Amino acid sequence: MENNFLSEAAALSWKRCHELGLKPTDPIDDDILTGSRIQPLLRQNEQTIQYTEQVFEHMHAAIKQSGQMALLIDPQGTIIHTVGDADFARRAVAVQLQVGANWAEKRKGTNAIGVAIAEKKPVRVHAEEHYFSSNHFLTCASAPIFNAIGELIGVINISGKQEHYHAYTFSLASMAALSIQNKILLEESKKEHLITLRELDYSSQNHPLPLLSLSRDNRILRANQAALRIVGSGAIGQELTKLDGFSVETVHNEHQRLWQSVSIRKQEASEHRLYAFRDIVGTCPAIIQKKELAQKAAATDFPVLLLGESGVGKELFAQSIHTASNRSSEPFIALNCSAIPDSLVESELFGYARGAFTGANKDGSAGKFEAAHKGTIFLDEIGDMPIRAQAALLRVLQESIITPVGSTKSKRVDIRVIAATNKDLAAEVKAGRFRADLYYRLKGIHITLPALRERSDILTLAVHLLQKHASPCPFLSEAAQRKLIAYSWPGNIRELNGILMQAVFLADGQAIDAEHLAFEEQDSASLAEASKDHPLTLREAEIAAIKQALKASEWNLSKAAGQLKIGRTTLYRKIEEYGITMF
């Protein structure tokens, strides 16, 4: 058989077989360990066999029905346990697929067991990929089993006639090996701090659980292969550091008792993990200073006012303050103030009683403030709140009491208030569009977040965002880096994230070059030049961001408002205010 028709792993194995002086027509090696010769080997691998029997018990029916056999092999290639179809097993004896037979490459040529031992990775060897002609009727899939420190301790193999091979067999062998491997790790780590690393995106649903055990000083003692792929093969003995894209959850932890279980709850797709300060990425002194200020604010119960352009991360900061506060176990309720119609102000904020008005829910409804009781309420776009709503909001902030619409009973609420706006509230107060008393009530601690064009860490932030969009992280060419730095970023971080997402798509797995960065057609060069000498005003930045969103959504106001994270009413008002027309 020509090497051109072999898989890469099989081709390398054939080369090794040639070098060993083996010939495809060599007779079958008839040296099989039996009786007293096999017993020491079985005792030596007793624990692995025990766990394998547990795993094979669940697979046995499927293996038997498909006319195949499942085998456990020791690190030197000797079969030490088998289950499967009896009819196939009888024929398999002819080629020694039985306990005591050795399938190392030097004994049986190219085969899935021998290749898995040599390459230390899962492999399938099909039909004529086998080196010995006598094995051509077989198709076999094998996967290695490793112990807690990465040493090979065995191989799982599933074998059958080539015409009976099923596509899932390779995956089944791999999953069985990993299941046994994790059982061993769990058993060995009873007296250690065992953690799991769970991916937050697609891979968490498709890969076996990565497991680590840690010492008291947070150093990695053991790791299964899934974990080593994440932390690196040289991580044993190193301190476990933060892993972007993974959450770390305790499975078992030794305290006063030998073995303490901590439940693991699968995060549903509908659940939303609130941001924390670790999610705020940046090396720019300006953003570091704001982050430190927000962390100090989180330790208090004072109201916080977050200021800054659209897209700079105000909600990220708001959620992080809540997460770091002593209210973190209580609700975080976000309210888009610009989206509240005047007619629904009271019912939206304070709820309503049963039968309060026509069309109301027959059982009544709790308002945002009641939902946020003991937690935090985030008043987003507070600068766009209608005057009538401002008056109602002021009352509850002053008195901490709400009265649902249609009810005579008042309720006391305990809430922490965080507000955010991209407007100059002091100017809005002077213009009569915002109540002065409400402004001073909200202004307890005010934090102004820098625009992206004012930050010195755009490239650091870009790399962080790219890591979320692609793995491995795409490389940014020098031309792409210069283009990112030169642009004025009217849409701030939100715009950067969208442009990088598009760039990953356009680059199609290659390095990201300047041509992949599709900026708005407003001529990014002229914008960059203008931003050097004449920074964009807030008005200019808003106009640029709105135009970009409108063009991207083909003037679908709902979609554009969603992209801009503002209410549709606010967007319509700004279009009129700035005189923006179709372009």
Side-chain angles (χ1 to χ4, degrees):
M1 182 177 183
E2 294 295 328
N3 282 1
N4 292 343
F5 297 97
L6 296 173
S7 68
E8 182 180 356
L12 290 172
S13 177
W14 273 56
K15 182 178 179 182
R16 290 192 293 267
C17 291
H18 280 302
E19 292 171 351
L20 287 168
L22 300 177
K23 295 182 175 58
T25 55
D26 281 350
I28 294 174
D29 182 351
D30 59 1
D31 184 18
I32 298 176
L33 299 180
T34 58
S36 60
R37 295 174 65 200
I38 191 67
Q39 289 306 315
L41 206 58
L42 298 181
R43 285 195 296 271
Q44 182 182 338
N45 292 278
E46 186 175 2
Q47 186 185 53
T48 308
I49 294 171
Q50 177 186 344
Y51 290 132
T52 302
E53 287 175 338
Q54 295 172 16
V55 173
F56 279 2
E57 183 178 351
H58 299 291
M59 297 167 47
H60 185 260
I63 294 295
K64 183 178 180 181
Q65 189 175 4
S66 64
Q68 300 182 95
M69 289 182 63
L71 318 171
L72 171 65
I73 300 93
D74 84 342
Q76 285 71 48
T78 301
I79 300 173
I80 53 178
H81 185 68
T82 69
V83 298
D85 178 60
D87 291 336
F88 175 70
R90 281 191 288 272
R91 180 174 180 185
V93 168
V95 291
Q96 299 183 353
L97 276 175
Q98 64 191 93
V99 171
N102 187 285
W103 279 73
E105 277 184 341
K106 64 182 180 181
R107 301 281 292 275
K108 292 289 194 295
T110 300
N111 68 89
I113 295 170
V115 176
I117 291 172
E119 300 286 344
K120 292 183 170 56
K121 64 182 181 182
V123 65
R124 184 193 77 164
V125 175
H126 174 61
E128 293 182 357
E129 286 184 322
H130 287 89
Y131 190 78
F132 285 170
S133 303
S134 56
N135 296 330
H136 285 181
F137 77 99
L138 293 169
T139 295
C140 309
S142 291
I145 307 168
F146 299 93
N147 67 11
I149 57 174
E151 296 173 336
L152 180 72
I153 59 171
V155 170
I156 291 295
N157 172 269
I158 299 177
S159 294
K161 296 179 183 177
Q162 60 167 289
E163 61 267 25
H164 290 166
Y165 180 76
H166 295 269
Y168 64 77
T169 304
F170 177 81
S171 298
L172 192 60
S174 299
M175 293 295 291
L178 286 166
S179 179
I180 295 165
Q181 181 174 296
N182 287 345
K183 283 177 180 290
I184 292 170
L185 176 63
L186 287 167
E187 181 64 27
E188 290 181 353
S189 302
K190 281 185 178 179
K191 295 182 180 180
E192 296 162 357
H193 180 194
L194 186 67
I195 65 171
T196 69
L197 306 175
R198 185 178 53 167
E199 285 196 54
L200 299 178
D201 52 17
Y202 175 82
S203 61
S204 66
Q205 303 169 31
N206 292 273
H207 293 283
L209 220 53
L211 298 173
L212 295 173
S213 61
L214 299 180
S215 64
R216 293 185 183 276
D217 59 354
N218 205 42
R219 294 188 180 278
I220 300 172
L221 298 175
R222 295 183 175 89
N224 66 1
Q225 289 300 298
L228 287 176
R229 285 195 291 270
I230 296 167
V231 299
S233 57
I236 303 297
Q238 302 298 314
E239 184 178 355
L240 178 67
T241 57
K242 179 180 179 293
L243 300 167
D244 290 334
F246 297 86
S247 64
V248 177
E249 298 180 348
T250 299
V251 179
H252 296 285
N253 186 21
E254 181 199 10
H255 291 302
Q256 299 303 318
R257 292 178 291 172
L258 178 65
W259 187 245
Q260 178 184 359
S261 288
V262 179
S263 65
I264 303 175
R265 183 171 64 89
K266 183 178 179 181
Q267 187 178 30
E268 299 297 332
S270 59
E271 292 180 326
H272 173 60
R273 179 184 70 85
L274 293 178
Y275 290 117
F277 282 113
R278 64 176 177 271
D279 298 309
I280 301 175
V281 176
T283 56
C284 174
I287 199 67
I288 291 174
Q289 190 266 337
K290 303 302 181 184
K291 184 176 176 179
E292 291 173 349
L293 186 60
Q295 287 173 318
K296 290 180 181 178
T300 74
D301 222 19
F302 298 144
V304 175
L305 179 60
L306 299 171
L307 305 169
E309 297 176 11
S310 179
V312 295
K314 295 188 287 294
E315 182 158 5
L316 170 60
F317 268 77
Q319 291 187 18
S320 299
I321 291 171
H322 171 78
T323 303
S325 74
N326 59 9
R327 297 175 181 264
S328 60
S329 60
E330 303 297 339
F332 175 90
I333 303 297
L335 175 65
N336 187 333
C337 298
S338 66
I340 307 175
D342 280 1
S343 59
L344 297 178
V345 169
E346 284 84 358
S347 60
E348 183 75 15
L349 296 179
F350 315 130
Y352 55 84
R354 180 176 182 177
F357 51 85
T358 303
N361 187 310
K362 66 177 182 178
D363 297 320
S365 177
K368 298 292 187 183
F369 276 82
E370 185 176 352
H373 181 54
K374 293 188 177 181
T376 301
I377 190 163
F378 175 48
L379 304 172
D380 197 11
E381 298 187 47
I382 189 71
D384 295 312
M385 179 177 261
I387 288 291
R388 178 183 171 187
Q390 292 178 32
L393 174 61
L394 180 62
R395 284 198 306 274
V396 72
L397 294 183
Q398 288 175 333
E399 302 167 9
S400 296
I401 292 175
I402 61 169
T403 305
V405 175
S407 174
T408 57
K409 295 181 180 180
S410 296
K411 300 178 181 179
R412 180 165 293 277
V413 290
D414 172 20
I415 52 173
R416 200 278 178 76
V417 178
I418 302 176
T421 182
N422 57 10
K423 290 195 169 184
D424 182 346
L425 286 189
E428 293 294 298
V429 169
K430 287 182 181 178
R433 292 188 292 267
F434 201 84
R435 293 181 63 115
D437 44 7
L438 178 58
Y439 171 55
Y440 293 116
R441 173 69 64 172
L442 296 169
K443 195 186 172 183
I445 300 172
H446 55 281
I447 302 172
T448 302
L449 304 182
L452 183 56
R453 62 181 171 276
E454 298 168 353
R455 292 174 56 167
S456 59
D457 59 353
I458 291 177
L459 294 181
T460 300
L461 188 57
V463 170
H464 171 73
L465 294 173
L466 283 172
Q467 288 173 337
K468 292 184 175 183
H469 296 317
S471 179
C473 179
F475 174 75
L476 283 167
S477 71
E478 288 189 16
Q481 293 179 34
R482 288 194 298 269
K483 191 172 182 180
L484 287 172
I485 294 171
Y487 188 50
S488 61
W489 300 110
N492 291 293
I493 299 171
R494 190 179 297 124
E495 182 184 12
L496 172 62
N497 189 50
I499 284 175
L500 291 175
M501 190 185 303
Q502 172 81 346
V504 168
F505 172 74
L506 295 175
D508 194 21
Q510 303 302 311
I512 293 176
D513 207 347
E515 65 186 25
H516 300 132
L517 299 171
F519 293 152
E520 192 59 19
E521 289 182 0
Q522 303 168 33
D523 188 283
S524 61
S526 62
L527 274 173
E529 190 62 34
S531 68
K532 279 188 211 169
D533 306 318
H534 307 287
L536 292 176
T537 65
L538 181 58
R539 175 189 175 92
E540 290 169 338
E542 282 197 341
I543 291 173
I546 290 170
K547 283 185 175 181
Q548 181 178 347
L550 289 172
K551 182 174 182 180
S553 65
E554 298 181 336
W555 273 76
N556 182 314
L557 296 189
S558 296
K559 288 184 180 179
Q563 291 176 22
L564 295 166
K565 301 289 192 228
I566 62 176
R568 192 176 185 278
T569 305
T570 302
L571 176 59
Y572 185 80
R573 178 168 51 76
K574 287 182 178 291
I575 289 172
E576 293 225 320
E577 179 184 342
Y578 295 140
I580 297 173
T581 57
M582 274 201 175
F583 51 95

